[in-house]
Amino acid sequence: MSAKPEHFLDRITELDDRTRYEFSSSGKVYVQGSRTDIQVPMREIRQSDTLTEKGNESNPAIRVYDTSGLYSDPSAHVDLRTGLPAIRAPWIDERDDTELLTGVSSEFGRQRQNDVQTAHLRFEHLHKPRRAKAGANVTQLHYARQGIITPEMEFIAIRENMSIAQMQQQQLTGKGDVTDLGFQHPGQSFGAAIPKEITPEFVRDEVARGRAIIPMNINHPEIEPMIIGRNFLTKVNANIGNSAVTSSIEEEVEKLAWSARWGADTVMDLSTGKNIHETREWIIRNSMLPIGTVPIYQALEKVGGVAEDLTWEIFRDTLIEQAEQGVDYFTIHAGVLLRYVPMTAKRVTGIVSRGGSIMAKWCLSHHKESFLYTHFEDICEIMKAYDVSFSLGDGLRPGSIADANDEAQFAELETLGELTKIAWKHDVQCMIEGPGHVPMHMIKENMDKQLEVCAEAPFYTLGPLTTDIAPGYDHITSGIGAAMIGWFGCAMLCYVTPKEHLGLPDKQDVKEGLMAYKIAAHAADLAKGHPGAQLRDNALSKARFEFRWEDQFNLGLDPDTARAYHDETLPKESGKVAHFCSMCGPKFCSMKISQEVRDFAAAQEAADGVGIVDVDAGMEQMAEEYNKTGRQLYHKV
Amino acid sequence: MSAKPEHFLDRITELDDRTRYEFSSSGKVYVQGSRTDIQVPMREIRQSDTLTEKGNESNPAIRVYDTSGLYSDPSAHVDLRTGLPAIRAPWIDERDDTELLTGVSSEFGRQRQNDVQTAHLRFEHLHKPRRAKAGANVTQLHYARQGIITPEMEFIAIRENMSIAQMQQQQLTGKGDVTDLGFQHPGQSFGAAIPKEITPEFVRDEVARGRAIIPMNINHPEIEPMIIGRNFLTKVNANIGNSAVTSSIEEEVEKLAWSARWGADTVMDLSTGKNIHETREWIIRNSMLPIGTVPIYQALEKVGGVAEDLTWEIFRDTLIEQAEQGVDYFTIHAGVLLRYVPMTAKRVTGIVSRGGSIMAKWCLSHHKESFLYTHFEDICEIMKAYDVSFSLGDGLRPGSIADANDEAQFAELETLGELTKIAWKHDVQCMIEGPGHVPMHMIKENMDKQLEVCAEAPFYTLGPLTTDIAPGYDHITSGIGAAMIGWFGCAMLCYVTPKEHLGLPDKQDVKEGLMAYKIAAHAADLAKGHPGAQLRDNALSKARFEFRWEDQFNLGLDPDTARAYHDETLPKESGKVAHFCSMCGPKFCSMKISQEVRDFAAAQEAADGVGIVDVDAGMEQMAEEYNKTGRQLYHKV
């Protein structure tokens, strides 16, 4: 949206060119499942050949998990005003356990539909809302417990299994030595149960146990299904949303697509500013990612910002309003109990969760437990009619190193464990939010305690930030903690951007935050020993070693930045085929020299059968040979 | 150097304004030791008052470890052409075990002094070189083993002990609850022996054991002494240096001062381009930080880049040349043995260390052990005559996740352990370099093995990078590994910049790399439970909670960036006294609300003696009181 037409609907037709473009040397592939309408998107990165003296050797295309949706598919027609295609619609229809309503059920939703002042901002092609038929439970957890493998589960199995499938296709064993592109170190998974191959039945089983969730509202048929659980790839969430101070609808839709491009697995719309309802509609209709919200933010806006005036009825209406728009998971701070609030009074940073502090204020003011807690089973009834998942909020998470792992935090976690079991009793999917600010040596205690008290329900943490002293760099302070807790068993990492504590993230901040968190999540997958996780590292390192610069860029998380950095010092095209890099120049290049070491050892081995480990016998001869062959530093390109 | 005069010496008079300026709300303080010429620099950050309804409460000034030298002292006169003051000169003189030479001892050094073509680049005020008197050993290790506490050791004790001293001054116990600014979580130090207070005797003892080194050449009297060891604050090294492709002397001097400003504890000059000798002189004369080099780079240049032509004589001359300029530690890849080279042939990325690959090539070509290994005791003789410390290079470190912790890497580490003991036999200080690319779950094995085979000699690691897939972001992939290995016992972290693998870092890259590594080092100190380490976190978090924005910025690692980010969304001066921030706006601010929770609980406790933990008795009354007092959301500023 570089041009800025006067009318909103003209402005929001298309995404910024900087958001919507194909990844270089990449193609979108769709892997078909057991039926033609299961089309699982992946990104395939083409590689160039390795140049050897014997001729060119081809390198396999590498498939990577792809969250970018149609926005990176040049063949797709995308019009933000009509929204994305409803790929799940047939699957939902077939189950025949839902019904289309004639209109929205929430009072507030009706008001907004009739509001004249915001008419010009309204998404034009509103869906009719869908709800479970009376008495039906339409959650993926409910189906899983009945032994049903849904198309969504099969979609997820194919998606999660991507790198194993391609290793099989390329006949990589994953067991050989490091010359096998599939080589991988055994991981340390701290009791996770990660199988060698993800099957649809495994997906069903994990969901049935509550150890994974598939956040996917029946009113969000545009979703490309994904799963959150410790035995799957570690996921990343990006927060977007406007505030009273800044941002517009088109900026938020832009940030959504931008987040997806850079690897967000889910997005939370944390808007607290103007036109929350309309902003959310635009976001959901244009999102193939699950969308999470914190409904209490909007509820508070409805009572003019006075926390004490919040009621169950207003909150309930908000849940239904948002569920019928298609929100996939709700953060609900039901664990903030009255007796826990005073535990925070002597903290360095009190209560730093917005939702937590709103509820604490309500509890203090009314001197009773919050309606989130007392109406928890009523909330479950709503959730299961739309398949909205719980993200049980950690309202008392620590906001500073000093407050980490304190009584208030762990007391709330215990309550979240109890609530998890109530949600499960209703077959409602549930994950648990976690901290916050925690020094490295206290992170594992968080994960272990969560696994224990929440019976392995997925953990979803913000960071944690491992120090307080770097405002402006909290994507890094927290990326460290995120990588560690992901390794220990956390299922999804909520990103932190460089603007944390300072301001609202813009597009560049969103990308910086996502890069730090994609790194953390992948580092966690490697450390857990997630099958096939090392394939991309191996391919990129091989490309790097062979000076296939473009392949190195393209296999990286952010080809644009890698290429730009390279070009700053060696801008010419010739730099990209150079058998050296700008750090060392041609003389000193260590990779070059060690390639020679290898070539020589291999040539020697081939020539006379002296194995490279048979040092004593072969070395003198090798030295002579090496000197005789001209001691060349350079290979011909 | 924003203006670019034609003549080099006119260009290099002063640093860029962006490098040389005072930190905001900070003052330079010098703490005097047992003699007037021991003046230990610290940065003191002033804080504003906390505004309460009872009146203003003052907040203490916080002292932080300061590596920025005179470059951040507005009262200091700095002329790059004369270099920094030689603060150590009297201490070296007094020991009366060194002599001033009439000229440089190295052949190459003499050549360069007489070279007409580089005369215009030469540092004008060359020191006469100093060397140990015949038979003398002038290393800090030698003194330490004789029970001598040098002024350098006392300087270090004061410097390292800074936060404990200020806690005592402010009567903070460090034991109380979180309302005490000195509160700190007990750490987990994996067998480190960190005392409550660093004394000069402790410094001496750690050096004597070889568990810490003080890199400090007698020809580098400009140094502000610092120490590297697992029982001290975790240190950070920044690499600078030109290459054949790019960079100039003035840029490198600028990068040196810039590195110091952003917290580098030591700097390595890795120049491989033009005028290495002259560049190094300019750097050392203007550096209060220890300078490390990799002498084999220069030696290779002297033989026209042909590794096979390197000889002991050329290398020896290079060591003396650099030792007489004042280099404080030498990276020497003496552990690359002939029999280890073939172990790298089947690696994904072979040998990625420049020094390692040069030596491997030499070994292959000559079919014998390198002169670094065979002449190791000769090297020790040179080192002890100038007090140059070893940084035993890990020439076979892994360059990819696949190659981590392999046979070649650990075989070399064993040899480095043997060499450490030889260095110690000569009373030569010694640290050990470490990897590289290592997934998270394999990092601890590196640290544990190093501690074991090198008898706790300080470990100095590059990262490690925890994944290969993020070129452009390797300050983050490696910052994760660096924080962890620092926690496990690593003494110094060699930074990695965003340009790693792609190009030479510019000033902004240097800063980005340093920020990531200062975070990693501090996170490690917190996790180890380093005494007083949490003080700065506590002070910053308290400032954040109290909306003292300027204090939050100033206490952070990078006040400029924090302030700029804040100003992007709330640019007006009023934003900096606002009792809310741009993320949530005034209504939703969680910190605001929880401040209210606290105020209310405290008021209640004071009024009727009902303790805040006596919930049942007091809550109803609290609720009434809260409602009666107007349920105010805002405090008057």
Side-chain angles (χ1 to χ4, degrees):
Chain A
M1 300 159 200
S2 22
K4 286 276 182 195
E6 192 178 350
H7 296 291
F8 171 73
L9 287 176
D10 294 328
R11 287 203 302 272
I12 202 164
T13 319
E14 291 210 2
L15 291 171
D16 194 322
D17 291 342
R18 287 172 303 133
T19 301
R20 204 184 157 201
Y21 60 98
E22 202 177 6
F23 285 94
S24 55
S25 295
S26 290
K28 200 101 180 170
V29 293
Y30 293 90
V31 177
Q32 188 170 311
S34 63
R35 37 191 284 179
T36 54
D37 64 355
I38 297 181
Q39 296 287 343
V40 183
M42 297 178 186
R43 177 155 72 95
E44 192 167 79
I45 305 168
R46 294 181 294 276
Q47 296 197 79
S48 57
D49 291 351
T50 298
L51 311 177
T52 74
E53 287 169 11
K54 291 173 229 157
N56 291 5
E57 282 169 14
S58 69
N59 289 294
I62 300 291
R63 288 185 182 179
V64 297
Y65 195 103
D66 184 8
T67 55
S68 62
L70 295 183
Y71 298 118
S72 67
D73 187 342
S75 69
H77 171 75
V78 180
D79 181 348
L80 299 178
R81 290 180 302 186
T82 53
L84 293 172
I87 61 170
R88 287 177 63 220
W91 311 337
I92 297 166
D93 271 342
E94 279 168 19
R95 288 192 280 260
D96 198 25
D97 53 3
T98 58
E99 56 191 1
L100 277 181
L101 305 178
T102 51
V104 299
S105 317
S106 70
E107 198 183 319
F108 189 80
R110 283 193 295 271
Q111 275 177 33
R112 295 303 282 196
Q113 280 191 359
N114 299 323
D115 186 56
V116 180
Q117 292 197 314
T118 50
H120 68 292
L121 295 174
R122 203 166 295 140
F123 187 80
E124 295 170 299
H125 304 272
L126 284 174
H127 297 202
K128 282 220 164 91
R130 184 181 286 276
R131 190 174 60 194
K133 289 180 176 170
N137 183 327
V138 299
T139 70
Q140 294 286 320
L141 174 52
H142 186 69
Y143 304 139
R145 284 185 170 169
Q146 301 195 340
I148 299 168
I149 295 174
T150 61
E152 288 91 338
M153 295 173 195
E154 187 189 338
F155 187 108
I156 286 165
I158 295 169
R159 200 172 193 188
E160 290 276 332
N161 202 42
M162 169 196 55
S163 52
I164 294 296
Q166 68 178 318
M167 277 169 62
Q168 284 165 347
Q169 197 185 347
Q170 291 158 19
Q171 299 183 310
L172 301 172
T173 63
K175 288 175 193 156
D177 64 17
V178 297
T179 58
D180 180 332
L181 201 62
F183 168 76
Q184 182 159 342
H185 297 288
Q188 179 188 2
S189 74
F190 300 102
I194 307 167
K196 284 274 164 217
E197 187 174 344
I198 305 289
T199 61
E201 168 55 21
F202 180 75
V203 173
R204 187 206 60 73
D205 190 56
E206 288 290 293
V207 172
R209 283 168 184 252
R211 205 149 65 175
I213 68 166
I214 303 177
M216 212 164 44
N217 187 324
I218 54 171
N219 287 305
H220 193 183
E222 300 91 347
I223 274 191
E224 294 174 350
M226 57 77 70
I227 195 163
I228 301 167
R230 70 182 295 206
N231 295 319
F232 299 93
L233 290 164
T234 307
K235 302 302 188 296
V236 166
N237 173 72
N239 291 333
I240 63 171
N242 66 10
S243 82
V245 182
T246 180
S247 206
S248 66
I249 290 179
E250 58 267 38
E251 278 177 73
E252 296 310 318
V253 173
E254 187 76 33
K255 275 192 214 162
L256 163 77
W258 184 245
S259 300
R261 176 173 188 84
W262 297 113
D265 293 288
T266 78
V267 162
M268 290 195 77
D269 172 16
L270 301 185
S271 292
T272 57
K274 275 184 246 173
N275 308 315
I276 297 183
H277 180 91
E278 289 68 28
T279 303
R280 186 187 310 120
E281 189 74 38
W282 280 98
I283 289 174
I284 294 172
R285 296 287 76 80
N286 286 291
S287 177
M288 62 283 154
L289 307 180
I291 299 295
T293 62
V294 188
I296 202 79
Y297 294 172
Q298 189 184 4
L300 185 62
E301 191 176 74
K302 293 177 184 175
V303 295
V306 184
E308 303 87 314
D309 293 351
L310 283 164
T311 63
W312 160 242
E313 289 69 27
I314 288 166
F315 186 72
R316 181 180 175 280
D317 195 67
T318 307
L319 292 184
I320 293 171
E321 171 202 343
Q322 298 197 7
E324 293 190 352
Q325 287 187 298
V327 173
D328 302 289
Y329 62 90
F330 287 152
T331 293
I332 296 189
H333 299 90
V336 179
L337 300 191
L338 184 57
R339 64 179 178 277
Y340 301 158
V341 176
M343 293 176 185
T344 66
K346 289 206 168 171
R347 281 177 157 187
V348 169
T349 47
I351 301 176
V352 296
S353 147
R354 281 186 268 172
S357 57
I358 293 164
M359 294 324 297
K361 189 162 182 180
W362 193 96
C363 288
L364 276 191
S365 165
H366 294 274
H367 179 54
K368 55 185 180 188
E369 297 303 357
S370 79
F371 48 84
L372 302 181
Y373 184 76
T374 57
H375 284 276
F376 193 75
E377 303 218 35
D378 298 322
I379 298 173
C380 291
E381 294 295 339
I382 297 168
M383 307 289 259
K384 67 187 175 197
Y386 303 96
D387 197 7
V388 182
S389 299
F390 275 112
S391 184
L392 293 176
D394 55 335
L396 305 182
R397 70 168 178 266
S400 57
I401 291 294
D403 296 342
N405 295 18
D406 73 350
E407 187 190 15
Q409 184 199 335
F410 283 157
E412 183 188 28
L413 183 56
E414 301 260 2
T415 299
L416 298 183
E418 289 162 25
L419 296 173
T420 300
K421 281 146 208 168
I422 296 172
W424 285 352
K425 193 182 71 182
H426 288 270
D427 286 357
V428 173
Q429 304 190 87
C430 187
M431 63 180 168
I432 316 297
E433 295 184 9
H437 293 238
V438 184
M440 281 194 286
H441 66 300
M442 294 168 73
I443 291 175
K444 191 151 188 302
E445 185 184 6
N446 278 273
M447 190 68 237
D448 291 347
K449 198 168 170 69
Q450 190 274 342
L451 289 172
E452 182 200 327
V453 305
C454 301
E456 291 192 88
F459 205 23
Y460 166 34
T461 60
L462 182 73
L465 287 72
T466 55
T467 159
D468 304 341
I469 67 165
Y473 299 86
D474 279 329
H475 60 312
I476 301 179
T477 67
S478 68
I480 294 167
M484 291 174 71
I485 205 161
W487 172 25
F488 300 151
C490 185
M492 186 156 77
L493 310 172
C494 182
Y495 87 169
V496 170
T497 77
K499 289 271 173 65
E500 183 76 13
H501 299 119
L502 299 169
L504 270 186
D506 61 20
K507 270 182 77 174
Q508 185 56 27
D509 298 319
V510 165
K511 183 174 172 185
E512 294 286 332
L514 275 165
M515 287 300 103
Y517 275 70
K518 293 305 280 185
I519 289 167
H522 185 70
D525 290 336
L526 286 177
K528 286 198 295 184
H530 203 91
Q534 202 182 303
L535 188 62
R536 190 173 182 178
D537 297 79
N538 293 349
L540 190 145
S541 288
K542 186 166 185 282
R544 180 176 283 156
F545 187 68
E546 294 170 355
F547 296 100
R548 288 183 278 116
W549 287 99
E550 286 293 341
D551 292 346
Q552 187 194 154
F553 305 151
N554 293 331
L555 287 163
L557 287 179
D558 178 2
D560 305 343
T561 297
R563 189 174 287 108
Y565 282 176
H566 177 267
D567 287 358
E568 276 180 33
T569 24
L570 273 185
K572 286 166 294 190
E573 275 310 302
S574 67
K576 301 221 189 58
V577 291
H579 268 205
F580 61 89
C581 54
S582 57
M583 287 83 81
C584 314
K587 266 185 210 167
F588 288 92
C589 181
S590 58
M591 290 215 183
K592 256 221 76 18
I593 293 177
S594 80
Q595 210 162 9
E596 268 179 79
V597 168
R598 179 192 289 186
D599 291 349
F600 183 74
Q604 197 56 31
E605 189 175 11
D608 60 12
V610 176
I612 55 154
V613 289
D614 190 358
V615 179
D616 291 336
M619 281 315 247
E620 187 136 20
Q621 193 188 345
M622 285 166 75
E624 276 173 36
E625 190 71 24
Y626 185 75
N627 290 320
K628 262 194 292 184
T629 54
R631 310 190 307 186
Q632 283 184 341
L633 260 166
Y634 304 103
H635 293 263
K636 285 177 194 143
V637 184
Chain B
M1 301 159 199
S2 20
K4 288 275 182 196
E6 190 177 350
H7 297 291
F8 170 73
L9 288 176
D10 293 330
R11 286 206 301 273
I12 202 164
T13 320
E14 288 210 2
L15 290 172
D16 194 321
D17 290 343
R18 286 172 302 132
T19 301
R20 207 188 153 198
Y21 59 99
E22 202 176 6
F23 286 93
S24 56
S25 295
S26 289
K28 201 100 181 168
V29 292
Y30 293 90
V31 177
Q32 187 170 313
S34 64
R35 39 192 281 179
T36 54
D37 64 355
I38 297 180
Q39 296 287 344
V40 183
M42 298 178 184
R43 178 155 69 96
E44 192 167 80
I45 305 168
R46 295 180 293 276
Q47 295 197 78
S48 57
D49 290 352
T50 298
L51 310 179
T52 74
E53 286 170 13
K54 289 173 231 154
N56 291 6
E57 283 168 13
S58 68
N59 290 294
I62 300 291
R63 288 186 182 177
V64 297
Y65 195 103
D66 184 7
T67 55
S68 62
L70 294 184
Y71 298 119
S72 67
D73 186 343
S75 70
H77 171 73
V78 180
D79 180 348
L80 299 177
R81 290 181 301 188
T82 53
L84 294 173
I87 60 170
R88 287 177 62 221
W91 312 337
I92 296 167
D93 272 341
E94 278 168 19
R95 288 194 279 259
D96 198 25
D97 52 3
T98 58
E99 56 190 2
L100 276 181
L101 305 177
T102 51
V104 297
S105 317
S106 69
E107 199 184 320
F108 189 81
R110 282 193 297 270
Q111 275 176 31
R112 296 304 281 196
Q113 279 191 1
N114 299 323
D115 186 58
V116 182
Q117 293 198 315
T118 49
H120 69 290
L121 294 174
R122 203 165 296 139
F123 187 80
E124 297 168 297
H125 305 271
L126 285 174
H127 298 203
K128 282 220 165 89
R130 184 181 285 275
R131 190 173 62 194
K133 289 180 177 171
N137 183 327
V138 299
T139 71
Q140 294 285 320
L141 173 52
H142 186 69
Y143 305 139
R145 284 186 170 168
Q146 303 197 337
I148 298 168
I149 295 174
T150 62
E152 288 91 338
M153 295 173 195
E154 187 189 339
F155 187 108
I156 286 165
I158 295 169
R159 200 172 191 187
E160 290 275 332
N161 202 43
M162 170 195 55
S163 53
I164 294 297
Q166 69 179 319
M167 278 169 63
Q168 285 164 346
Q169 196 185 348
Q170 291 157 21
Q171 299 184 312
L172 301 171
T173 62
K175 290 176 192 157
D177 65 17
V178 297
T179 57
D180 181 333
L181 201 61
F183 168 78
Q184 182 160 342
H185 297 288
Q188 179 187 2
S189 74
F190 299 102
I194 307 167
K196 284 276 163 218
E197 187 175 343
I198 305 289
T199 61
E201 168 55 22
F202 181 74
V203 172
R204 188 206 60 75
D205 189 56
E206 288 290 294
V207 172
R209 285 169 181 252
R211 204 150 67 177
I213 67 166
I214 303 176
M216 211 165 45
N217 187 323
I218 53 170
N219 287 306
H220 193 184
E222 300 90 347
I223 274 191
E224 294 174 350
M226 56 78 68
I227 194 163
I228 301 167
R230 70 183 295 208
N231 295 319
F232 299 93
L233 291 163
T234 306
K235 301 303 187 298
V236 166
N237 173 71
N239 291 333
I240 63 171
N242 66 10
S243 82
V245 182
T246 181
S247 208
S248 67
I249 291 179
E250 57 267 39
E251 277 176 74
E252 297 310 319
V253 173
E254 187 76 32
K255 275 190 213 161
L256 162 78
W258 184 246
S259 300
R261 177 174 188 84
W262 297 113
D265 294 288
T266 77
V267 161
M268 289 194 80
D269 172 15
L270 302 185
S271 293
T272 58
K274 277 182 245 171
N275 309 316
I276 298 183
H277 180 90
E278 289 69 28
T279 304
R280 186 188 311 120
E281 189 74 38
W282 280 98
I283 289 174
I284 294 172
R285 296 288 76 79
N286 286 292
S287 176
M288 60 284 152
L289 307 180
I291 299 296
T293 62
V294 188
I296 202 80
Y297 295 171
Q298 190 185 3
L300 187 62
E301 190 175 76
K302 293 177 183 175
V303 295
V306 183
E308 303 88 314
D309 293 351
L310 283 165
T311 62
W312 161 242
E313 289 69 27
I314 288 167
F315 186 72
R316 181 179 174 281
D317 195 68
T318 307
L319 292 184
I320 293 171
E321 171 202 344
Q322 298 197 8
E324 292 190 353
Q325 286 187 298
V327 173
D328 303 288
Y329 60 91
F330 287 152
T331 293
I332 296 189
H333 299 90
V336 179
L337 300 192
L338 184 57
R339 65 179 178 276
Y340 301 158
V341 176
M343 292 176 184
T344 66
K346 289 206 167 171
R347 280 178 160 186
V348 170
T349 47
I351 302 176
V352 297
S353 149
R354 282 186 265 172
S357 56
I358 293 164
M359 294 325 296
K361 189 162 182 180
W362 193 95
C363 290
L364 275 191
S365 165
H366 294 273
H367 178 55
K368 56 185 181 189
E369 297 303 356
S370 80
F371 49 83
L372 302 181
Y373 185 75
T374 57
H375 284 276
F376 194 74
E377 302 217 38
D378 297 323
I379 299 174
C380 290
E381 294 295 340
I382 297 169
M383 308 289 259
K384 67 187 174 197
Y386 301 97
D387 197 7
V388 182
S389 299
F390 275 111
S391 184
L392 293 176
D394 55 336
L396 305 182
R397 69 167 178 267
S400 57
I401 290 293
D403 296 340
N405 296 18
D406 73 350
E407 187 190 14
Q409 184 198 337
F410 283 157
E412 182 188 29
L413 182 56
E414 301 259 3
T415 300
L416 298 183
E418 289 161 26
L419 296 173
T420 299
K421 280 147 209 167
I422 296 172
W424 284 352
K425 194 182 70 182
H426 288 269
D427 286 357
V428 173
Q429 305 191 86
C430 186
M431 63 180 169
I432 317 296
E433 295 185 7
H437 292 238
V438 185
M440 280 194 287
H441 66 300
M442 294 168 73
I443 292 174
K444 192 153 187 302
E445 185 185 5
N446 279 273
M447 191 67 236
D448 291 347
K449 198 167 171 68
Q450 191 274 342
L451 289 173
E452 184 200 325
V453 304
C454 302
E456 291 192 89
F459 205 22
Y460 166 32
T461 61
L462 182 73
L465 286 72
T466 56
T467 159
D468 303 340
I469 68 166
Y473 299 86
D474 280 329
H475 59 311
I476 300 179
T477 67
S478 68
I480 294 167
M484 291 174 72
I485 205 161
W487 172 25
F488 300 151
C490 185
M492 184 156 78
L493 310 171
C494 182
Y495 87 169
V496 169
T497 77
K499 288 271 172 63
E500 183 75 15
H501 300 119
L502 300 169
L504 271 188
D506 60 19
K507 271 182 76 174
Q508 184 56 29
D509 299 319
V510 166
K511 183 174 172 185
E512 294 287 333
L514 274 165
M515 287 299 104
Y517 274 70
K518 292 305 279 184
I519 288 167
H522 186 70
D525 289 337
L526 285 176
K528 286 197 295 184
H530 204 91
Q534 202 182 306
L535 188 63
R536 190 173 182 177
D537 297 78
N538 293 349
L540 190 145
S541 288
K542 185 167 186 280
R544 180 177 282 157
F545 187 68
E546 292 170 355
F547 297 100
R548 287 183 279 117
W549 288 99
E550 286 292 341
D551 292 346
Q552 187 194 156
F553 305 150
N554 293 331
L555 287 163
L557 287 179
D558 178 3
D560 304 343
T561 298
R563 189 175 287 107
Y565 283 175
H566 177 266
D567 287 359
E568 277 181 31
T569 23
L570 273 185
K572 284 165 295 188
E573 275 309 302
S574 66
K576 301 220 191 55
V577 292
H579 269 204
F580 60 90
C581 53
S582 57
M583 288 82 82
C584 315
K587 265 183 209 166
F588 288 92
C589 180
S590 58
M591 289 215 184
K592 256 220 75 23
I593 293 176
S594 79
Q595 211 163 8
E596 268 178 79
V597 167
R598 180 191 288 186
D599 291 350
F600 184 73
Q604 197 57 29
E605 189 175 12
D608 60 14
V610 175
I612 55 155
V613 288
D614 189 357
V615 179
D616 291 336
M619 281 317 248
E620 185 135 20
Q621 191 187 346
M622 284 166 75
E624 274 175 35
E625 190 71 24
Y626 186 76
N627 290 319
K628 261 194 290 181
T629 54
R631 311 191 304 187
Q632 282 184 342
L633 261 165
Y634 305 103
H635 293 264
K636 283 175 198 148
V637 182

